[in-house]
Amino acid sequence: MLYFKTDEEVGFLRESNLLVSRTLGEIAALIKPGVTTLYLDKIAEEFIRDNGAVPGFKGYGGFPGTLCTSVNDEVVHGIPSGYMLKEGDIISIDCGVILNGWYGDSAYTFAVGHISEDVQRLLDYTRAALEEGVKEAVAGNRVGDISFAVQSKAESGGYSVVRELVGHGLGRKLHEQPEVANWGKKGSGPKMEKGLVICIEPMINAGKKETLQMGDGWTIKTADGMPSAHFEYAVAVDRGKADVLTTFEYIDQVLNKK
Ligand code: MG
Ligand code: MG
Protein backbone atom coordinates (compact mmCIF):
# COMPACT_ATOMS: atom_id res chain seq x y z
CA MET A 1 0.00 0.00 0.00
CA LEU A 2 1.18 3.51 -0.79
CA TYR A 3 1.08 6.27 1.83
CA PHE A 4 0.21 9.68 0.46
CA LYS A 5 1.37 12.28 2.95
CA THR A 6 -0.46 15.46 3.87
CA ASP A 7 1.32 18.79 3.38
CA GLU A 8 2.05 18.83 7.11
CA GLU A 9 3.62 15.37 6.95
CA VAL A 10 5.72 16.35 3.94
CA GLY A 11 6.83 19.31 6.07
CA PHE A 12 8.16 16.94 8.75
CA LEU A 13 9.97 14.90 6.11
CA ARG A 14 11.46 18.11 4.72
CA GLU A 15 12.89 18.86 8.19
CA SER A 16 14.39 15.39 8.63
CA ASN A 17 15.89 15.37 5.14
CA LEU A 18 17.27 18.87 5.63
CA LEU A 19 19.11 17.57 8.68
CA VAL A 20 20.57 14.72 6.60
CA SER A 21 21.63 17.29 3.98
CA ARG A 22 23.34 19.40 6.64
CA THR A 23 25.02 16.31 8.13
CA LEU A 24 26.45 15.38 4.73
CA GLY A 25 27.72 18.97 4.45
CA GLU A 26 29.54 18.58 7.79
CA ILE A 27 31.09 15.33 6.61
CA ALA A 28 32.10 16.83 3.24
CA ALA A 29 34.39 19.24 5.08
CA LEU A 30 36.24 16.37 6.78
CA ILE A 31 36.86 14.05 3.84
CA LYS A 32 40.55 13.92 3.02
CA PRO A 33 43.37 11.39 2.91
CA GLY A 34 44.24 9.98 6.35
CA VAL A 35 40.76 10.23 7.87
CA THR A 36 39.09 7.00 9.00
CA THR A 37 35.51 6.15 8.12
CA LEU A 38 34.86 5.53 11.83
CA TYR A 39 35.83 9.15 12.58
CA LEU A 40 33.35 10.41 9.98
CA ASP A 41 30.72 8.20 11.58
CA LYS A 42 31.39 9.61 15.06
CA ILE A 43 31.13 13.22 13.87
CA ALA A 44 27.91 12.47 11.99
CA GLU A 45 26.32 10.87 15.06
CA GLU A 46 27.27 13.82 17.28
CA PHE A 47 25.90 16.34 14.77
CA ILE A 48 22.62 14.45 14.40
CA ARG A 49 22.13 14.13 18.18
CA ASP A 50 23.10 17.79 18.74
CA ASN A 51 20.24 18.66 16.39
CA GLY A 52 17.61 16.77 18.36
CA ALA A 53 17.46 13.69 16.16
CA VAL A 54 18.77 10.15 16.32
CA PRO A 55 20.73 8.23 13.69
CA GLY A 56 18.30 6.39 11.43
CA PHE A 57 20.52 3.48 10.45
CA LYS A 58 22.22 2.68 13.75
CA GLY A 59 20.61 -0.51 15.02
CA TYR A 60 18.39 -0.81 11.93
CA GLY A 61 18.47 -4.56 11.25
CA GLY A 62 21.51 -4.54 13.53
CA PHE A 63 23.59 -2.12 11.43
CA PRO A 64 26.34 -0.76 13.71
CA GLY A 65 26.96 2.68 12.19
CA THR A 66 25.32 6.08 11.79
CA LEU A 67 26.64 6.23 8.22
CA CYS A 68 27.09 3.63 5.55
CA THR A 69 30.61 4.27 4.25
CA SER A 70 31.32 2.45 0.99
CA VAL A 71 34.73 2.92 -0.60
CA ASN A 72 35.69 2.37 -4.26
CA ASP A 73 34.29 -1.04 -5.32
CA GLU A 74 31.92 -1.11 -2.36
CA VAL A 75 28.45 -0.31 -3.66
CA VAL A 76 26.50 0.33 -0.44
CA HIS A 77 26.16 -0.66 3.24
CA GLY A 78 29.87 -0.39 4.07
CA ILE A 79 30.46 -0.44 7.82
CA PRO A 80 32.50 2.44 9.31
CA SER A 81 35.88 1.12 10.38
CA GLY A 82 39.52 1.98 10.93
CA TYR A 83 40.02 2.16 7.16
CA MET A 84 41.98 5.30 6.40
CA LEU A 85 40.90 7.17 3.27
CA LYS A 86 43.61 7.67 0.68
CA GLU A 87 44.18 10.00 -2.25
CA GLY A 88 42.19 8.85 -5.28
CA ASP A 89 39.53 6.91 -3.34
CA ILE A 90 35.84 7.56 -3.72
CA ILE A 91 33.52 7.14 -0.76
CA SER A 92 29.75 6.80 -0.90
CA ILE A 93 28.19 8.09 2.29
CA ASP A 94 24.60 7.18 3.02
CA CYS A 95 23.03 8.90 6.03
CA GLY A 96 19.72 8.42 7.79
CA VAL A 97 18.09 10.26 10.70
CA ILE A 98 14.85 10.13 12.64
CA LEU A 99 13.57 13.57 13.59
CA ASN A 100 10.16 13.92 15.28
CA GLY A 101 9.42 10.34 14.24
CA TRP A 102 10.11 10.93 10.54
CA TYR A 103 13.00 9.52 8.53
CA GLY A 104 15.55 11.36 6.44
CA ASP A 105 17.69 9.34 4.02
CA SER A 106 20.17 10.64 1.43
CA ALA A 107 23.54 9.68 -0.05
CA TYR A 108 26.44 11.26 -1.91
CA THR A 109 29.65 9.89 -3.40
CA PHE A 110 32.71 12.00 -2.57
CA ALA A 111 36.15 12.14 -4.14
CA VAL A 112 39.08 11.86 -1.73
CA GLY A 113 41.66 14.35 -2.96
CA HIS A 114 42.28 14.06 -6.68
CA ILE A 115 40.52 11.24 -8.56
CA SER A 116 40.97 10.01 -12.12
CA GLU A 117 38.90 11.51 -14.94
CA ASP A 118 37.28 8.11 -15.51
CA VAL A 119 36.03 7.87 -11.96
CA GLN A 120 34.87 11.50 -11.93
CA ARG A 121 32.82 10.72 -15.03
CA LEU A 122 31.14 7.81 -13.19
CA LEU A 123 30.21 10.19 -10.37
CA ASP A 124 28.89 12.81 -12.81
CA TYR A 125 26.75 10.27 -14.66
CA THR A 126 25.33 8.79 -11.46
CA ARG A 127 24.32 12.22 -10.16
CA ALA A 128 22.87 13.08 -13.57
CA ALA A 129 20.92 9.79 -13.60
CA LEU A 130 19.41 10.78 -10.24
CA GLU A 131 18.39 14.17 -11.66
CA GLU A 132 16.78 12.48 -14.68
CA GLY A 133 14.80 10.26 -12.32
CA VAL A 134 13.64 13.25 -10.26
CA LYS A 135 12.13 14.87 -13.38
CA GLU A 136 9.72 11.91 -13.63
CA ALA A 137 8.56 12.03 -9.99
CA VAL A 138 5.38 13.93 -10.78
CA ALA A 139 1.74 13.12 -10.10
CA GLY A 140 0.18 10.93 -12.79
CA ASN A 141 3.46 9.26 -13.79
CA ARG A 142 4.32 5.71 -12.87
CA VAL A 143 7.28 4.54 -10.80
CA GLY A 144 8.66 2.79 -13.88
CA ASP A 145 9.03 6.19 -15.57
CA ILE A 146 11.63 7.05 -12.92
CA SER A 147 13.34 3.67 -13.28
CA PHE A 148 13.53 3.99 -17.05
CA ALA A 149 14.95 7.53 -16.90
CA VAL A 150 17.67 6.55 -14.40
CA GLN A 151 18.67 3.45 -16.34
CA SER A 152 18.72 5.26 -19.69
CA LYS A 153 21.02 8.01 -18.41
CA ALA A 154 23.41 5.59 -16.69
CA GLU A 155 23.63 3.22 -19.63
CA SER A 156 24.11 6.08 -22.09
CA GLY A 157 27.44 6.65 -20.33
CA GLY A 158 28.43 3.01 -20.71
CA TYR A 159 27.70 2.15 -17.08
CA SER A 160 25.61 -0.58 -15.50
CA VAL A 161 22.79 -0.45 -12.97
CA VAL A 162 22.85 -2.52 -9.79
CA ARG A 163 19.78 -4.75 -9.70
CA GLU A 164 19.77 -6.12 -6.14
CA LEU A 165 19.11 -2.82 -4.37
CA VAL A 166 16.38 -0.27 -4.98
CA GLY A 167 14.94 3.04 -3.81
CA HIS A 168 11.83 3.08 -1.64
CA GLY A 169 9.01 5.01 -0.05
CA LEU A 170 9.99 7.08 3.01
CA GLY A 171 8.00 8.21 6.01
CA ARG A 172 7.62 7.04 9.59
CA LYS A 173 9.35 3.92 8.29
CA LEU A 174 12.71 3.89 6.52
CA HIS A 175 11.49 1.52 3.83
CA GLU A 176 7.90 1.92 2.66
CA GLN A 177 6.21 0.97 -0.58
CA PRO A 178 6.80 1.40 -3.46
CA GLU A 179 10.12 -0.06 -4.47
CA VAL A 180 11.86 2.36 -6.83
CA ALA A 181 14.15 0.30 -9.04
CA ASN A 182 16.88 1.98 -11.04
CA TRP A 183 16.00 0.00 -14.12
CA GLY A 184 12.66 -0.70 -15.74
CA LYS A 185 10.04 0.11 -18.30
CA LYS A 186 8.29 3.38 -18.93
CA GLY A 187 4.62 3.26 -17.94
CA SER A 188 5.08 0.30 -15.55
CA GLY A 189 4.56 0.08 -11.79
CA PRO A 190 2.31 1.99 -9.39
CA LYS A 191 0.86 5.36 -10.33
CA MET A 192 2.25 8.25 -8.29
CA GLU A 193 0.14 11.01 -6.76
CA LYS A 194 0.90 14.17 -4.81
CA GLY A 195 2.15 13.33 -1.32
CA LEU A 196 4.02 10.14 -2.15
CA VAL A 197 7.51 10.49 -0.71
CA ILE A 198 10.20 8.29 -2.22
CA CYS A 199 13.95 7.89 -2.17
CA ILE A 200 15.49 7.75 -5.62
CA GLU A 201 18.96 6.27 -5.29
CA PRO A 202 20.86 5.07 -8.34
CA MET A 203 23.73 2.69 -7.58
CA ILE A 204 25.80 2.70 -10.74
CA ASN A 205 28.83 0.55 -11.57
CA ALA A 206 31.72 1.47 -13.83
CA GLY A 207 31.94 -2.16 -14.95
CA LYS A 208 29.41 -4.97 -14.83
CA LYS A 209 26.16 -4.88 -12.87
CA GLU A 210 26.82 -7.96 -10.72
CA THR A 211 27.48 -7.54 -7.01
CA LEU A 212 28.71 -9.67 -4.11
CA GLN A 213 27.68 -9.66 -0.47
CA MET A 214 30.65 -9.63 1.90
CA GLY A 215 31.05 -11.90 4.92
CA ASP A 216 30.27 -9.05 7.36
CA GLY A 217 26.62 -9.48 6.35
CA TRP A 218 26.34 -5.88 5.13
CA THR A 219 28.87 -4.62 2.62
CA ILE A 220 27.91 -5.03 -1.04
CA LYS A 221 30.78 -4.88 -3.56
CA THR A 222 30.97 -5.00 -7.32
CA ALA A 223 31.77 -8.53 -8.48
CA ASP A 224 34.40 -7.27 -10.94
CA GLY A 225 36.15 -4.97 -8.46
CA MET A 226 35.39 -1.83 -10.51
CA PRO A 227 34.19 1.33 -8.72
CA SER A 228 30.56 2.10 -7.95
CA ALA A 229 28.76 5.36 -7.16
CA HIS A 230 25.57 6.14 -5.20
CA PHE A 231 23.57 9.35 -4.98
CA GLU A 232 20.22 9.56 -3.21
CA TYR A 233 17.50 12.16 -2.80
CA ALA A 234 14.27 12.02 -0.86
CA VAL A 235 11.57 13.44 -3.14
CA ALA A 236 7.93 14.36 -2.56
CA VAL A 237 5.86 13.70 -5.65
CA ASP A 238 3.91 16.80 -6.62
CA ARG A 239 1.87 18.08 -9.51
CA GLY A 240 3.95 19.40 -12.38
CA LYS A 241 7.34 19.20 -10.68
CA ALA A 242 8.93 17.02 -8.03
CA ASP A 243 9.59 18.57 -4.63
CA VAL A 244 13.13 17.49 -3.71
CA LEU A 245 13.48 17.31 0.08
CA THR A 246 17.23 16.71 0.02
CA THR A 247 19.72 19.40 -0.96
CA PHE A 248 23.38 18.93 -1.90
CA GLU A 249 23.87 22.69 -1.51
CA TYR A 250 25.76 22.28 1.82
CA ILE A 251 28.11 19.77 0.19
CA ASP A 252 28.62 21.97 -2.88
CA GLN A 253 29.47 24.97 -0.66
CA VAL A 254 32.21 22.95 1.05
CA LEU A 255 33.58 21.40 -2.14
CA ASN A 256 33.73 24.74 -3.95
CA LYS A 257 36.02 26.05 -1.19
CA LYS A 258 38.34 23.01 -1.24
MG1 MG B 1 20.13 5.92 1.90
MG1 MG C 1 17.41 4.90 0.80
Side-chain angles (χ1 to χ4, degrees):
M1 113 155 236
L2 302 186
Y3 294 88
F4 297 99
K5 275 84 180 175
T6 63
D7 287 349
E8 191 190 12
E9 290 170 332
V10 170
F12 282 120
L13 283 161
R14 192 184 311 282
E15 290 300 312
S16 48
N17 284 286
L18 180 62
L19 179 56
V20 172
S21 303
R22 290 173 55 217
T23 307
L24 289 173
E26 294 291 312
I27 295 306
L30 303 173
I31 290 178
K32 60 181 180 192
V35 167
T36 67
T37 54
L38 202 55
Y39 176 72
L40 300 177
D41 192 73
K42 177 177 166 280
I43 300 297
E45 179 169 2
E46 284 172 9
F47 186 78
I48 289 165
R49 293 192 190 278
D50 286 349
N51 282 279
V54 294
F57 298 163
K58 198 165 191 160
Y60 188 89
F63 189 77
T66 291
L67 303 175
C68 296
T69 54
S70 309
V71 179
N72 296 333
D73 62 339
E74 295 174 353
V75 178
V76 286
H77 302 168
I79 299 174
S81 72
Y83 176 79
M84 213 176 264
L85 295 175
K86 60 180 196 300
E87 184 83 17
D89 280 348
I90 54 171
I91 179 169
S92 300
I93 297 198
D94 197 345
C95 179
V97 304
I98 310 168
L99 179 64
N100 303 313
W102 296 89
Y103 273 93
D105 179 16
S106 310
Y108 191 97
T109 301
F110 297 90
V112 181
H114 182 77
I115 60 171
S116 74
E117 262 176 48
D118 282 358
V119 176
Q120 184 60 53
R121 184 175 178 273
L122 169 68
L123 269 48
D124 294 344
Y125 262 88
T126 306
R127 190 166 170 177
L130 169 58
E131 297 292 350
E132 290 302 311
V134 166
K135 287 181 195 166
E136 301 297 326
V138 293
N141 277 3
R142 291 186 181 269
V143 172
D145 297 331
I146 297 174
S147 308
F148 177 80
V150 170
Q151 180 178 19
S152 300
K153 183 64 187 179
E155 290 182 352
S156 75
Y159 302 117
S160 62
V161 175
V162 171
R163 300 298 202 268
E164 292 85 354
L165 299 138
V166 296
H168 50 92
L170 186 73
R172 287 189 177 276
K173 290 191 177 153
L174 178 57
H175 296 117
E176 297 183 352
Q177 291 297 316
E179 288 194 345
V180 184
N182 297 302
W183 78 101
K185 288 196 180 75
K186 241 180 192 170
S188 68
K191 196 174 186 180
M192 297 179 286
E193 299 295 348
K194 179 179 163 64
L196 183 68
V197 176
I198 52 174
C199 287
I200 305 176
E201 49 178 317
M203 288 150 264
I204 305 299
N205 295 349
K208 295 197 170 70
K209 66 180 186 301
E210 284 74 22
T211 63
L212 294 173
Q213 163 99 58
M214 295 296 101
D216 62 15
W218 285 102
T219 312
I220 308 284
K221 283 192 182 188
T222 60
D224 61 10
M226 299 274 283
S228 184
H230 180 211
F231 289 83
E232 175 181 23
Y233 277 151
V235 174
V237 173
D238 210 334
R239 299 188 190 100
K241 192 174 187 292
D243 181 2
V244 181
L245 306 180
T246 304
T247 174
F248 292 152
E249 171 190 330
Y250 300 99
I251 295 171
D252 289 337
Q253 277 172 17
V254 169
L255 299 186
N256 289 340
K257 273 189 224 151
K258 269 190 182 175

